[in-house]
Amino acid sequence: MENMPLHFLSSRLEFPPVETANEDGLLAVGGDLSPERLMLAYKNGIFPWFNDDSLILWWSPDPRMVLFPENLKISKSMRKVIRDQEFTLTQNTCFDMVMDYCANVDRKGQEGTWITPEMKSAYVALHQKGRAKSFEVWKDDLLVGGLYGVDLGHVFCGESMFSLEPNASKFAFIKMVQEFAEKNYQLIDCQVHTDHLESLGAELISREKFLAILQG
């Protein structure tokens, strides 16, 4: 089936069918970042991702990068990091700081950030409603890594992570996955493929399969 023309959102709280996304996964443009729209998006396999000088862009890629908690891979070096208790982990103690670091820490091959002030305000609002959560990594009482995302109760949608010390973001990710495995979460949504996520056990699945788990 050919992709439909790109959909421009109005003030109505709705999205077009995800099957109408283009081959890159771009589904719609515009709308707002209200908590209600964000939660509707995530529950339907859609997420916002755009630059500071762009309209709001909404995505639903096919295939989708996910991690089934039981498939988590922990390298020997990371097992040693965990065993040596080099880091400690907290949750939801400084959500704003985690977002700030995710926005500002330099990454190879990446210019600028998609975590705009508008995006930060939107996810802080979600956090205040208990739907967005952060995991923080500490070393000697200093924040050295972390990640944040949206919690749907059986699926955690990871958004971004940062690391100021080697292995800090890996530590956050591994500990997060282990906790969600204990709580019988079905998967961690990683959105798009990266070699880093693949090394931790994430894999590509079809959008259809992802939505079946998300809405099942």
Side-chain angles (χ1 to χ4, degrees), residues 3-210:
N3 288 323
M4 300 292 289
L6 189 61
H7 189 93
F8 283 81
L9 300 179
S10 67
S11 59
R12 294 183 62 181
L13 198 59
E14 63 180 8
F15 287 97
V18 295
E19 293 79 12
T20 63
N22 69 19
E23 61 182 12
D24 294 322
L26 181 58
L27 175 68
V29 176
D32 55 60
L33 294 174
S34 67
E36 294 76 17
R37 189 182 294 276
L38 281 172
M39 290 309 300
L40 178 64
Y42 280 98
K43 289 176 181 178
N44 286 279
I46 303 163
F47 60 89
W49 187 25
F50 59 99
N51 295 322
D52 201 12
D53 58 353
S54 166
L55 295 171
I56 301 173
L57 305 179
W58 300 90
W59 304 80
S60 183
D62 186 17
R64 188 83 166 218
M65 193 73 168
V66 304
L67 173 69
F68 294 98
E70 63 271 20
N71 293 339
L72 175 66
K73 295 179 181 178
I74 308 176
S75 66
K76 288 183 179 179
S77 61
M78 279 307 301
R79 290 184 188 279
K80 184 177 187 304
V81 169
I82 295 169
R83 187 171 61 249
D84 292 347
Q85 299 182 343
E86 181 178 347
F87 302 119
T88 57
L89 186 79
T90 58
Q91 293 183 36
N92 299 317
T93 63
C94 52
F95 185 90
D96 294 42
M97 286 178 63
V98 170
M99 283 205 72
D100 285 340
Y101 274 117
C102 286
N104 295 318
V105 171
D106 291 335
R107 292 175 173 84
K108 291 182 179 179
Q110 179 178 313
E111 296 182 3
T113 179
W114 54 270
I115 304 174
T116 65
E118 183 182 13
M119 287 283 271
K120 181 183 175 184
S121 296
Y123 285 87
V124 167
L126 271 191
H127 173 65
Q128 291 169 346
K129 292 179 176 293
R131 303 312 298 264
K133 298 183 177 179
S134 62
F135 292 77
E136 306 94 17
V137 180
W138 304 86
K139 182 178 181 180
D140 300 327
D141 297 323
L142 294 175
L143 182 64
V144 295
L147 60 85
Y148 75 95
V150 177
D151 190 355
L152 298 180
H154 67 304
V155 170
F156 185 80
C157 304
E159 278 298 315
S160 187
M161 63 177 71
F162 79 95
S163 186
L164 302 180
E165 290 271 345
N167 300 314
S169 61
K170 278 187 179 180
F171 180 84
F173 187 83
I174 289 168
K175 285 294 189 179
M176 175 199 71
V177 174
Q178 290 176 331
E179 174 174 326
F180 286 142
E182 292 177 359
K183 294 179 178 179
N184 296 315
Y185 276 53
Q186 295 186 44
L187 58 76
I188 311 299
D189 175 26
C190 303
Q191 299 179 346
V192 296
H193 175 273
T194 68
D195 292 338
H196 175 64
L197 290 168
E198 185 177 357
S199 73
L200 290 164
E203 63 187 276
L204 289 168
I205 64 172
S206 69
R207 180 168 55 209
E208 183 180 10
K209 182 177 180 179
F210 173 69

